[in-house]
Structures are given as structure tokens and as C-alpha cells.
Amino acid sequence: MFDSDLDRDGKSGRRAFLLTSASAVAGAFLWSLRKPGVLAAAPAAHGVPGEVAIVEFSDDGKRLKKERVPKVVKSEAEWQQQLSPAAFAITRHADTEISFSGQYWNLHDKGLYRCICCDNALFKSDTKFESGTGWPSFWAPIARENVREERDLSLGVPRTAVNCTLCDAHLGHVFEDGPPPTGLRYCMNSASLKFVKMG
Ligand SMILES: [Zn+2]
């Protein structure tokens, strides 16, 4: 009995070791795409086809209608071809751009910020504020339906990642130290966004 238990444990131990090795190889591959110290957000619902409800906006910021539309799902290779290396690493692998390095942290023009991956409307310039962080910061999304929040434990401290509802792009994080009226700070990566100037 004791021997057979040992035997079984030995086998499951080897299986676990093999699985761990396979994960380590996959992890090393992902790691090579990333900066040290940053881990991907939980990929659970990412790239899974389905329908989502989003609010559509015209380029001059008018709210058009709420619609159920198919999610935008593409392969790694397709995203890599479409996006710059920085935008690919950030939106598809939850990387973070270096603060004060992006093109929008200091932009004050009136306009709309769309998703760099799928054109979903995400933020408007009238909710943008000076956070001093070097990342474009907003106190609200353009419509709550258009972004999805997700718990992110990748740095060992709980944070809330913000993703595009339509294509699952990683956009940044939201913190509870923003200005009125919401008290929220949507801390975004410039590389995840595409600015459309109004007027
Ligand atoms: Zn998107």
C-alpha cells in the first residue's frame, strides 16, 4: 500500500514536472517579448469570439447608438503585422510604455481617443486631466460599455487593468486617486490609443 502510494506519487510528480517544464518554455517565450518586471494580465477572456455591446461615436464625439457587435478577434501574427512593436507589446501583451515617452500625455487638443487596434471609441479630451504621471489620464471612459476592467495581480499588488471591450486590447490601469467628479484616474498608454482631432 505504502509502496504503491509512493509509486503513484512518483508518477504524478513526473507528470507535474513535465507540465511545469512546458509552461516554463511558453513563459520564456512570452518573457522575451516583454520588459523585465512586467507580467501579462490574466488572459482568460482574451481573443475569445463572441458578441459585445458597445456605444458607437462619430469622429466629432457625438454618441450614436449602443449596439451588439461581434468582437474583433485576430491572431498574434495579424496583430503583429497591423501594429507598431510598442503598440503590439502593450495592447496584446499588457506591457507599459515608459512615462513621458508617449505621444499623448501632454496633448491638450479637443478630440476623441480610439483604440489603436479596433477603432472603438474609448476616451474624450474633455475628461482628460494633468496627472503628472507622464501617461495620458482621464477621469472617465467615453462610455462605460466600451472598456472592460479586470483584476491584475502581475506586480504582486492588486491593480485594475482596463481593456478595450471590442478587441480585448490592454489599455492601462484605473486607480481611485483621480479628480472629481468620479475620483478615478484612468492611466492609459499613448501607444494603445489613436487620437482623432475634433473640428
Ligand atoms: Zn480595441
Side-chain angles (χ1 to χ4, degrees):
M1 183 67 184
F2 184 64
D3 279 355
S4 73
D5 277 348
L6 249 188
D7 206 38
R8 201 159 54 230
D9 286 352
K11 277 179 190 155
S12 62
R14 275 194 299 279
R15 261 201 306 280
F17 173 75
L18 287 174
L19 283 173
T20 307
S21 302
S23 306
V25 171
F29 172 70
L30 278 180
W31 187 258
S32 69
L33 296 170
R34 312 182 47 73
K35 286 190 311 203
V38 187
L39 291 170
H46 296 190
V48 179
E51 276 202 343
V52 288
I54 58 159
V55 182
E56 294 186 349
F57 287 80
S58 66
D59 276 350
D60 57 2
K62 279 201 193 71
R63 188 182 168 108
L64 300 176
K65 58 185 170 185
K66 185 168 167 177
E67 264 202 318
R68 284 198 74 80
V69 292
K71 274 175 71 176
V72 174
V73 178
K74 295 186 183 183
S75 69
E76 282 284 288
E78 287 170 324
W79 286 126
Q80 199 157 17
Q81 193 172 23
Q82 177 186 329
L83 301 166
S84 71
F88 177 71
I90 291 163
T91 59
R92 310 323 306 181
H93 292 282
D95 207 342
T96 300
E97 71 194 11
I98 296 167
S99 62
F100 300 101
S101 75
Q103 56 178 331
Y104 296 142
W105 69 270
N106 200 25
L107 181 71
H108 300 287
D109 292 350
K110 198 168 148 56
L112 196 70
Y113 293 83
R114 293 189 181 275
C115 176
I116 191 74
C117 295
C118 75
D119 281 336
N120 186 20
L122 299 171
F123 296 96
K124 251 169 136 169
S125 55
D126 58 6
T127 62
K128 194 170 187 287
F129 69 97
E130 211 49 70
S131 64
T133 60
W135 288 289
S137 304
F138 304 84
W139 48 258
I142 197 164
R144 101 189 121 68
E145 294 87 344
N146 291 15
V147 297
R148 189 169 47 78
E149 295 180 7
E150 173 178 276
R151 192 169 164 80
D152 174 10
L153 295 170
S154 62
L155 292 186
V157 286
R159 291 184 299 167
T160 304
V162 179
N163 300 327
C164 171
T165 304
L166 187 53
C167 78
D168 293 328
H170 173 76
L171 307 171
H173 291 87
V174 58
F175 302 93
E176 294 182 350
D177 57 4
T182 61
L184 298 173
R185 172 169 61 93
Y186 285 81
C187 183
M188 300 293 106
N189 290 282
S190 296
S192 300
L193 305 172
K194 179 166 66 184
F195 182 68
V196 183
K197 197 168 175 166
M198 278 185 211

